[in-house]
Amino acid sequence: MLTPELLPRLQQLLADADLDGWLLYDFRGTNAIAAGLLGFEGLCSRRVFAFVPREGLPIGIAHAIEPGPWAHWPKAWPLRIYSGWRALEAEVAALVGGKRVAMEYSPGDAIPYLDRVPAGVLELVRGAGATVVSSGELVSQVYATWTPSQLASHERAATHIAAIAYETIQHAGSMVAAGTPAAEHELQARILEAFARAGLETDHGPDVAASENAANPHYAPSAATPRLVQRGDVLLVDLWARETGGGVYADQTWMASLGAPSDRVVTIWEAVRDARDAALALLSTRIAAGLPVRGGEADDAARAVIEARGFGPHFWHRTGHSIDSRELHGSGPQIDNLESRDDRRLIPGVGFSIEPGVYLPGELGVRSEVNAYVGDDALLVTPTTPQRTLFVV
């Protein structure tokens, strides 16, 4: 959240980028980045702006009927009030006219996770005489990065999740061996119970998918359409959670075979595993050497492995998503050069998933997912021991 303590660092970043300021805008939650930085809570049904200048105090623009969302706005910082559109546009023009400002804007919608400001608002701001540039690097540095305590929280959650995934897979195998196979949604419920015992919370999921259902990357098991996990199945377990009360999410995917896997399954698994490791190797080497690296480059490295193994057309999604301090699917740099053109640098303090996959509709899906955090001179990967071979139960 934007605070007096954060302000000097942010203003130095603005100076380094030769920006006159950062203009934050939100309307009914269209810009989660702005709302998160401003610490908004409760009803916010009118347009709001806040301008963080390179020098001086930030200035907010609030609607007269909604002071509530500004509860965390420091009293020493100016807060201008409007009720009509003429007054709003005049206030915006007075703040940014003739200035070079950053906004949550991505030219050509190249990075949709960042592109949060409507075209009409950009027209309004440019019409006031401002030059608008993307706030992408600012978002990475002041919104997406983790604190040391948040990193520690993530590591604890990752340890719990890895153990819960392993126990779930072993239970699925035990149920098959006993002749009473469990359904996907029953294994899902078991994971949620384990989360509660471990002091973890999640907003939805997890995903437990057998064979053909695993070919849908966004599959959700349901008691309404139960699917038993049986001998001969490939089992995908994708689970994500954070410590109760607001820790940073950990997000992992584990793979198992109910009985000895076929050569085809092993071949696909090894392609996915090696793609994961290729992305991690690129990132680790660059970061250790102090060289810049971008998420799109890691995506290319993973994708090259899967394409070389003959499964390129079946790797449908980005290699990884940002995990920021607020959201599982965050607004920081993505590991993506497929769905979007994310050219933001992976800077110290940001975290993300690495999760290549191969999906064969009607047959099976295979994915392996770990998380990574960029340290000052090294890449931290969770869980500490990524899956190397298929679990056979």
Side-chain angles (χ1 to χ4, degrees):
M1 188 169 71
L2 181 60
T3 63
E5 292 74 24
L6 175 62
L7 184 60
R9 176 174 169 240
L10 176 51
Q11 291 183 320
Q12 183 60 55
L13 292 171
L14 291 169
D16 292 344
D18 192 26
L19 290 168
D20 295 306
W22 188 355
L23 182 63
L24 299 168
Y25 164 84
D26 190 30
F27 175 64
R28 295 189 175 184
T30 56
N31 187 353
I33 296 169
L37 282 171
L38 296 173
F40 281 176
E41 298 174 357
L43 180 66
C44 186
S45 65
R46 301 299 195 274
R47 288 177 289 177
V48 297
F49 287 88
F51 184 62
V52 184
R54 183 162 65 184
E55 297 178 354
L57 297 176
I59 299 171
I61 304 177
H63 195 277
I65 69 169
E66 285 186 349
W70 297 86
H72 299 294
W73 189 253
K75 295 188 182 303
W77 294 357
L79 186 61
R80 299 177 180 174
I81 307 300
Y82 80 95
S83 56
W85 62 266
R86 295 176 181 84
L88 173 63
E89 293 183 8
E91 293 285 7
V92 171
L95 287 179
V96 303
K99 294 183 172 64
R100 187 169 183 264
V101 301
M103 297 188 76
E104 284 66 72
Y105 149 70
S106 177
D109 195 40
I111 309 174
Y113 322 100
L114 174 68
D115 209 19
R116 307 293 186 101
V117 177
V121 175
L122 288 175
E123 291 173 354
L124 185 156
V125 173
R126 287 170 173 157
T131 299
V132 179
V133 301
S134 173
S135 64
E137 296 296 339
L138 294 173
V139 170
S140 294
Q141 295 182 75
V142 303
Y143 183 87
T145 52
W146 306 356
T147 65
S149 64
Q150 288 169 335
L151 172 59
S153 175
H154 167 83
E155 291 181 289
R156 290 190 296 269
T159 298
H160 283 304
I161 283 174
I164 291 168
Y166 182 76
E167 190 281 330
T168 301
I169 289 168
Q170 293 298 316
H171 176 73
S174 297
M175 295 296 283
V176 169
T180 56
E184 296 166 329
H185 71 276
E186 294 171 332
L187 295 174
Q188 180 192 55
R190 188 180 181 88
I191 291 171
L192 292 172
E193 290 168 0
F195 282 176
R197 289 193 300 272
L200 303 177
E201 63 181 10
T202 187
D203 57 351
H204 68 290
D207 178 10
V208 178
S211 295
E212 74 286 350
N213 289 336
N216 176 359
H218 284 171
Y219 177 72
S222 169
T225 55
R227 167 52 159 94
L228 295 178
V229 178
Q230 305 182 82
R231 183 70 59 196
D233 277 331
V234 172
L235 181 64
L236 181 152
V237 178
D238 184 0
L239 63 175
W240 52 92
R242 62 184 179 185
E243 291 186 321
T244 302
V248 170
Y249 274 97
D251 186 7
Q252 302 169 13
T253 303
W254 299 80
M255 296 299 308
S257 176
L258 280 294
S262 68
D263 290 345
R264 178 172 171 78
V265 168
V266 172
T267 296
I268 295 171
W269 158 254
E270 290 179 347
V272 169
R273 177 202 62 195
D274 294 349
R276 178 199 71 194
D277 291 349
L280 292 173
L282 172 73
L283 294 171
S284 295
T285 300
R286 292 277 192 89
I287 291 165
L291 298 173
V293 63
R294 291 167 169 77
E297 294 176 284
D299 182 66
D300 289 343
R303 203 165 301 280
V305 172
I306 290 178
E307 289 175 351
R309 306 290 175 88
F311 299 108
H314 301 285
F315 182 10
W316 300 335
H317 56 68
R318 61 192 174 191
T319 292
H321 57 81
S322 164
I323 303 174
D324 64 32
S325 60
R326 299 163 181 82
E327 296 180 281
L328 171 63
H329 294 90
S331 299
Q334 314 289 317
I335 311 304
D336 189 7
N337 193 29
L338 175 74
E339 300 180 49
S340 67
R341 303 183 297 280
D342 202 326
D343 60 356
R344 289 176 287 176
R345 293 175 297 121
L346 298 175
I347 62 172
V350 299
F352 44 86
S353 71
I354 297 290
E355 50 179 306
V358 169
Y359 309 97
L360 305 175
E363 184 181 354
L364 70 128
V366 175
R367 183 167 64 251
S368 181
E369 179 180 14
V370 298
N371 300 156
Y373 170 85
V374 180
D376 290 332
D377 55 8
L379 185 74
L380 171 69
V381 178
T382 61
T384 53
T385 305
Q387 186 176 2
R388 298 298 310 162
T389 59
L390 281 170
F391 293 130
V392 179
V393 294

